[in-house]
Amino acid sequence: MMALKVTNLSKIYRESTGEVHALGPVSFEMETGEFLCFLGPTGCGKTTLLRTIAGLEKPDTGEVEIQSPPDGGESVIGYVFQQGALFPWMSIFANLEFPLKAKSFVRDTRREKVESMLEMMGLSSFASSFPHQLSGGMQQRAALARSLVMEPDLLLMDEPFSSLDTRTSQELQENLRELLKRASTTVLFVTHNIEEAVYLAGEVIVLGHRPGRIVRRETINLPDQRSRLSDTFTEYLVSLRKTFESLVSH
Amino acid sequence: MSLVRVALGFSLAVLIGIPVGLLMGASRSARKFLSLMVEMARPLSAIALLPLSIIIFKARTFSQLFGLQYLRYQKNLLNEMQLGMIFILFWGGVFPIILGTIQGVRSVRKMHLEAAGILGANRIFTFRHVIIPSALPDIFHGLKLGIGRCWMVIIAAEMLPGTNSGIGYLIRYSYQLSRYDIMLASIVIVAFIGALFSKGLESLGEKSLVLRSKER
């Protein structure tokens, strides 16, 4: 089933210094449960793409269609920011409870859902801590948990691990794969890290420099259990790196 | 007596200042509409308005407002609460509170607002759970400045003729009697109470400040 359809999406930022053609036009589709990764150099409009899909920016042309869930309700979108989107004045528990409270779930349901999510993310012991007491990795883990607790139909992730060190970032990538195996969430992930893209995604789309356009589409035919050391993994890595280099060099 | 007056005037300033500040911070049209008024009214010294407020409010006191002036208490507290004085206390305290609150609401991080929106919060929920908590440190700062102003205003107001109670009155009266010891003691007390106010509000606001400054 189609989960997301983006047609001819483009975005121009108008500022006092002139116009910046940030994105597109870009068109693509996503199936339910798919993990699609947008890969591109800094400033290619990746974030703009996500923000437009999330409704945080208005596109200049084109449209975004998000499939409503089969039960007829409104589709739920999750968004994980690069960093610092947790509310600093709330405990981790309260942060996770926020979306459930906003959707007026009753107290007991909220509690149950938050606790099981904390458990799943290995955050149970930090429930009453405040964001600033957590390491960067733990903060992003909590931010991810807050997006997942409302069981989104579509999860948008904007370089969520880019502010972390390599080891922590890889750990979180592994966690994310584990988590997604259990749910059929459709994920649109944006990164400039080639390895991260190959490790996580079912399909990679390479975006070219300003304005962001689709340069290459690549399906990643790797097993669910991925090893960063396997030959095929390295082949994808090298091949994508070549595309990437050619983008940056001219 | 001075403390009761300040408590009344300051509470009034808080009750009006915070909602007005919230409104002005949140709504562009309210800000446009009200900011000119606030900016015109703000530099007017509260003391300068005392004669005017006496004309407007006459020598009316709170007890008259409630029709209680004939109650025969030896010291009817409300009889000492001149409306004019309360009005200038309000005047002195309200502007720092309004400005602090506006500042607080305006400095809410855009990312937090966006996150709240995506997490399904409507405007009222966002206001209650995101905007107000992140504005708290600035609101407390406004309160601190506001109460300091109130305290300065009341001392000066009590020194003017027409009062026969309060610590400002005590300073003037002891001066007239050449009891400089009492005068100096009163000044020290004024300083201490002023510091107490400010420290008290600071410690109340501390928790919210700590959380914001440690944010990464």
Side-chain angles (χ1 to χ4, degrees), chain A residues 51 54 56 77 79 81 83-90 98-99 101-103 130 132 134 136 139 146 150, chain B residues 109-112 114-116 118-122 125-126 129-131 133-134 207 210-212 214-216:
Chain A
R51 291 176 60 85
L56 294 174
I77 299 179
Y79 196 108
F81 290 84
Q83 64 176 109
L86 290 172
F87 302 127
W89 56 88
M90 288 182 194
F98 183 91
K101 236 178 178 171
K103 291 264 183 238
F130 285 88
H132 69 86
L134 268 59
Q139 284 183 24
R146 188 176 66 177
M150 14 179 240
Chain B
R109 290 182 59 190
K110 196 176 156 221
M111 192 199 282
H112 288 145
E114 290 177 348
I118 289 176
L119 293 170
N122 60 27
F125 193 85
T126 306
H129 293 279
V130 178
I131 296 181
S134 51
K207 203 181 158 202
V210 163
L211 288 181
R212 197 168 73 169
K214 282 199 178 164
E215 179 187 334
R216 286 184 214 173

Side-chain angles (χ1 to χ4, degrees), chain A residues 9-24 43-53 55-61 79 158 210-212, chain B residues 110 114:
Chain A
L9 199 68
S10 76
K11 174 77 191 171
I12 297 165
Y13 287 109
R14 289 176 184 84
E15 283 166 23
S16 51
T17 47
E19 292 188 348
V20 179
H21 193 163
L23 176 73
C44 73
K46 301 172 300 225
T47 300
T48 306
L49 176 68
L50 276 198
R51 291 176 60 85
T52 316
I53 293 171
L56 294 174
E57 307 273 356
K58 279 208 178 95
D60 285 293
T61 66
Y79 196 108
D158 182 11
R210 196 167 277 174
Chain B
K110 196 176 156 221
E114 290 177 348

Side-chain angles (χ1 to χ4, degrees), chain B residues 23-36 102 105-106:
Chain B
L23 185 69
M24 287 177 69
S27 143
R28 186 191 295 253
S29 44
R31 193 160 57 246
K32 269 191 181 153
F33 182 67
L34 290 172
S35 68
L36 186 66
I102 295 176
V105 173
R106 307 259 294 150

Side-chain angles (χ1 to χ4, degrees), chain A:
Chain A
M1 202 179 77
M2 194 195 65
L4 171 73
K5 187 177 180 188
V6 171
T7 12
N8 281 323
L9 199 68
S10 76
K11 174 77 191 171
I12 297 165
Y13 287 109
R14 289 176 184 84
E15 283 166 23
S16 51
T17 47
E19 292 188 348
V20 179
H21 193 163
L23 176 73
V26 166
S27 304
F28 64 94
E29 283 181 19
M30 281 179 79
E31 298 290 315
T32 308
E34 196 183 341
F35 194 123
L36 177 64
C37 193
F38 271 89
L39 182 63
T42 312
C44 73
K46 301 172 300 225
T47 300
T48 306
L49 176 68
L50 276 198
R51 291 176 60 85
T52 316
I53 293 171
L56 294 174
E57 307 273 356
K58 279 208 178 95
D60 285 293
T61 66
E63 52 184 286
V64 175
E65 283 172 63
I66 299 169
Q67 184 67 44
S68 334
D71 59 21
E74 216 173 285
S75 53
V76 179
I77 299 179
Y79 196 108
V80 185
F81 290 84
Q82 282 184 27
Q83 64 176 109
L86 290 172
F87 302 127
W89 56 88
M90 288 182 194
S91 68
I92 297 301
F93 190 95
N95 261 289
L96 262 72
E97 204 186 11
F98 183 91
L100 301 172
K101 236 178 178 171
K103 291 264 183 238
S104 349
F105 280 91
V106 295
R107 203 195 160 110
D108 289 346
T109 321
R110 296 201 303 254
R111 209 196 172 88
E112 206 174 286
K113 278 177 187 268
V114 171
E115 269 167 8
S116 77
M117 181 52 70
L118 287 172
E119 169 93 50
M120 200 151 61
M121 299 294 282
L123 286 165
S124 296
S125 52
F126 297 106
S128 53
S129 308
F130 285 88
H132 69 86
Q133 296 167 318
L134 268 59
S135 67
M138 280 300 171
Q139 284 183 24
Q140 278 313 84
R141 206 181 280 258
L144 177 59
R146 188 176 66 177
S147 303
L148 287 174
V149 79
M150 14 179 240
E151 293 159 14
D153 303 296
L154 176 64
L155 182 61
L156 305 170
M157 303 181 80
D158 182 11
E159 307 205 33
F161 310 140
S162 65
S163 63
L164 310 174
D165 63 89
T166 317
R167 185 64 223 130
T168 316
S169 161
Q170 287 182 357
E171 217 171 84
L172 275 156
Q173 290 168 28
E174 283 155 26
N175 286 155
L176 180 61
R177 284 208 69 113
E178 283 296 314
L179 282 168
L180 292 173
K181 241 190 264 171
R182 289 178 239 178
S184 66
T185 317
T186 315
V187 185
L188 187 54
F189 193 102
V190 148
T191 181
H192 62 261
N193 183 331
I194 302 170
E195 194 190 286
E196 185 174 54
V198 177
Y199 185 77
L200 288 170
E203 189 172 7
V204 174
I205 293 183
V206 182
L207 272 188
H209 224 335
R210 196 167 277 174
R213 284 210 179 82
I214 295 178
V215 174
R216 180 176 168 191
R217 270 186 100 122
E218 187 72 50
T219 309
I220 308 289
N221 283 315
L222 284 173
D224 273 349
Q225 204 65 35
R226 290 183 187 181
S227 152
R228 289 192 174 79
L229 299 172
S230 75
D231 289 344
T232 10
F233 192 92
T234 323
E235 270 167 37
Y236 277 118
L237 217 58
V238 171
S239 148
L240 283 166
R241 159 96 42 215
K242 279 179 184 153
T243 315
F244 216 70
E245 293 293 323
S246 72
L247 282 175
V248 181
S249 60
H250 66 247

Side-chain angles (χ1 to χ4, degrees), chain B residues 182-204:
Chain B
I182 298 180
M183 191 183 84
L184 278 175
S186 309
I187 292 174
V188 170
I189 290 172
V190 167
F192 263 107
I193 294 178
L196 209 68
F197 278 151
S198 171
K199 283 290 161 201
L201 276 173
E202 215 167 84
S203 61
L204 272 176

